[in-house]
Amino acid sequence: MAIKRKMDLLTAVEQIVDKAKGTGLSSEFYRKADRYIKYLSERLELTKEQSVMMALFIDNSDDSSISISDFCKYLDCRTTKIIRYMAEIDVLEKRELVRCCRENKRIKYRVPIEVIDAFKNDKKYMPKDCSGLSCMDLFGEIENVFQLRSDDELTYEATVEKIKYLFDCNSQLLYVQKVRSCNMSEEDEMLMIVFSHLFVNNNDDNIRFHDLNFLYDDKHIWNYTKSCLNNGDHVLQSERFIEYNNDGGFVDRESFRMTAEAKRVFFAELNLSSMNQDKKHGDLVKAKEITPKKLFYGEKISSQIAELGNLLDDAQYKQIHARMKEKGFRCGFACLFYGEPGTGKTETVLQLARQTGRDILQVNISQIKSMWVGESEKNIKQVFDNYRAKVKECKITPILLFNEADAIIGKRQEGAERAVDKMENSIQNIILQEMETLDGILIATTNLAQNMDKAFERRFLYKIKFEKPTIEARMCMWQEMIPVLKEEETRFLANKYDFSGGQIENIARHYTIGNILHGDSENVIEELSSYCDSERLNAKETRKIGF
């Protein structure tokens, strides 16, 4: 005798999906599955059609990119059949039971994890109660909405609806009251909220067009808005809510910030003094504090480094910069140093900076990549904002250094679905945009140039490959770092050990420490050879060469 399974949400879903297979959602299917559809409808307060669609979504909830065609294949029906259900699916989206991504004219769906958890626990999913928030909590919710919009998971209309809901739930807040008292059009009010979000959540006083365009579906409206902002006749400008930034005393018509008065009026509930603390996201290395170091390269690299050094000489740099600007070319200089580890890429940047008197803003990649969704993108944008500020305040243009940049200039993920892949792509897109408008000097170092995205490759004006040093260069390094060596000894070591400059330096340090601890060695070559064998790790690489 068959045991009757207790009815719950997942059982109803399972039965509906089983009975729907290959039926094209015929009337016969609805008759056979009526009991289960009715149960789901009553539990979730949905129509029968919405319940069937929800069951299909739950059955595909392991896929973060569900398409209507998936349903058509399973049901064995034409796309037009499912299109008739699109209004019902829109209701599910509005109820936050499914999320929709509309990207590149393709529509994909996913079931949020919190909805899956509700089904798993046999509970009706209820959206988060957003009433009675503090002003800071409200901006946290606004950030979540704009993140979904940025990821194409909300239409413009759905975004407006969600923001309106947040405002309705929190009408007690002074910020909400002030925004609504301005009686702006829906579009202008939304733009005002975006500016507020960028300032409050990102501490951003350098808001550019690419920070705003995520909001708009309609290109005509975006182009019109851009034109108004560029010409200075947008209502947010005439009401003195936002203003242009200045670049060296000149108005920058593509960079905006909220006015001090607007911040005072709209954000009275917030602690602005703590918000205005600078986020560094970068270590400043002063040119005068860099220790001089003699470097050895092959002939080709030496020539390239010398040319770059001439370019970075301040008088030369200013002349070339002015000429490039005059001719309408991009004024920024982006350089890529690539090659095996230990070949002197980072040290070359330091020595070029020291020789030309340029400070270095060194970016810590691990600090940029935050575990929190959306934080990494803010961090990378803050790096470039900080660099722009440094360029303005420094007499000599500093260098922005992305050291060991493999992690952020690699090939972009096509059709990225995972949050981490989307984050990587967002970071790269921001860097690419910033490189287009760079007015300064950027140097990136990498060990894995073969993995670099082609879009980055095009944006680096100078690309210098650092190769393992030649025998002659290795001889010079041994002599420079251990002056007691004779020429024939340096030749022996250079021939026997195919080391990079970094490895030779390691061995020289070992040798120096040994001398300090135990006194001068009686057999220098024997001691150095033992350090060399330890450095190489793989004993099979040793080649016996007569001395």
Side-chain angles (χ1 to χ4, degrees), residues 52-67:
V52 171
M53 289 297 108
M54 193 66 226
L56 290 168
F57 276 117
I58 289 294
D59 192 55
N60 286 272
S61 58
D62 62 328
D63 187 353
S64 61
S65 183
I66 306 166
S67 69

Side-chain angles (χ1 to χ4, degrees), residues 90-345:
D90 289 344
V91 172
L92 298 180
E93 185 185 357
K94 200 171 281 190
R95 288 270 304 269
E96 300 185 22
L97 293 168
V98 298
R99 294 238 172 94
C100 180
C101 177
R102 297 165 175 85
E103 191 174 19
N104 299 326
K105 299 183 179 178
R106 297 176 69 197
I107 299 177
K108 298 282 186 179
Y109 295 90
R110 70 177 175 88
V111 183
I113 189 67
E114 54 269 26
V115 176
I116 298 170
D117 286 341
F119 270 80
K120 189 170 68 178
N121 295 309
D122 195 33
K123 292 179 180 177
K124 174 187 172 184
Y125 172 70
M126 297 294 293
K128 182 180 174 183
D129 180 12
C130 290
S131 57
L133 299 176
S134 68
C135 192
M136 203 67 219
D137 288 339
L138 172 70
F139 275 102
E141 293 299 326
I142 288 172
E143 181 171 31
N144 292 338
V145 173
F146 286 149
Q147 184 62 52
L148 290 171
R149 173 69 191 125
S150 183
D151 291 340
D152 291 314
E153 292 194 10
L154 291 178
T155 62
Y156 174 81
E157 291 73 19
T159 304
V160 171
E161 195 171 311
K162 282 187 174 292
I163 296 293
K164 184 178 183 300
Y165 168 74
L166 285 171
F167 273 42
D168 288 344
C169 291
N170 295 281
S171 56
Q172 82 284 357
L173 293 176
L174 180 62
Y175 173 75
V176 173
Q177 294 166 11
K178 289 292 183 184
V179 170
R180 286 187 160 170
S181 69
C182 295
N183 295 316
M184 291 182 279
S185 69
E186 178 188 279
E187 284 160 10
D188 294 337
E189 185 174 288
M190 283 299 295
L191 189 61
M192 175 65 188
I193 295 167
V194 172
F195 270 100
S196 302
H197 147 69
L198 290 170
F199 172 68
V200 173
N201 288 321
N202 295 11
N203 194 22
D204 199 342
D205 266 333
N206 182 21
I207 297 164
R208 307 185 83 83
F209 287 132
H210 65 73
D211 298 314
L212 307 171
N213 64 2
F214 78 93
L215 183 64
Y216 298 90
D217 279 331
D218 191 320
K219 286 185 180 178
H220 297 295
I221 293 175
W222 169 233
N223 288 334
Y224 176 73
T225 303
K226 230 161 85 169
S227 175
C228 289
L229 288 168
N230 202 259
N231 294 330
D233 52 16
H234 194 281
V235 64
L236 298 187
Q237 291 164 307
S238 58
E239 293 292 330
R240 295 284 302 140
F241 296 152
I242 65 170
E243 62 188 356
Y244 294 125
N245 275 310
N246 288 296
D247 184 359
F250 296 96
V251 168
D252 184 350
R253 291 181 174 272
E254 295 188 349
S255 174
F256 309 89
R257 67 186 173 207
M258 293 193 71
T259 63
E261 179 62 15
K263 291 173 188 175
R264 188 186 65 78
V265 170
F266 286 99
F267 307 129
E269 295 155 298
L270 299 173
N271 183 2
L272 290 182
S273 60
S274 65
M275 287 164 53
N276 286 331
Q277 290 173 0
D278 191 18
K279 297 178 184 175
K280 291 298 177 190
H281 295 304
D283 302 318
L284 191 69
V285 179
K286 293 279 189 184
K288 61 185 178 184
E289 295 171 2
I290 298 170
T291 306
K293 200 169 202 178
K294 194 170 181 180
L295 298 175
F296 301 93
Y297 314 102
E299 192 176 331
K300 183 182 176 183
I301 302 175
S302 293
S303 172
Q304 290 174 308
I305 297 296
E307 183 182 345
L308 186 56
N310 288 335
L311 165 67
L312 296 183
D313 175 76
D314 197 44
Q316 195 81 282
Y317 172 79
K318 284 176 179 171
Q319 186 181 353
I320 295 170
H321 181 277
R323 187 75 62 86
M324 298 278 275
K325 203 165 193 174
E326 186 185 304
K327 289 185 174 292
F329 290 125
R330 293 200 302 269
C331 301
F333 293 93
C335 314
L336 179 73
F337 291 177
Y338 67 101
E340 292 184 46
T343 48
K345 300 182 293 293

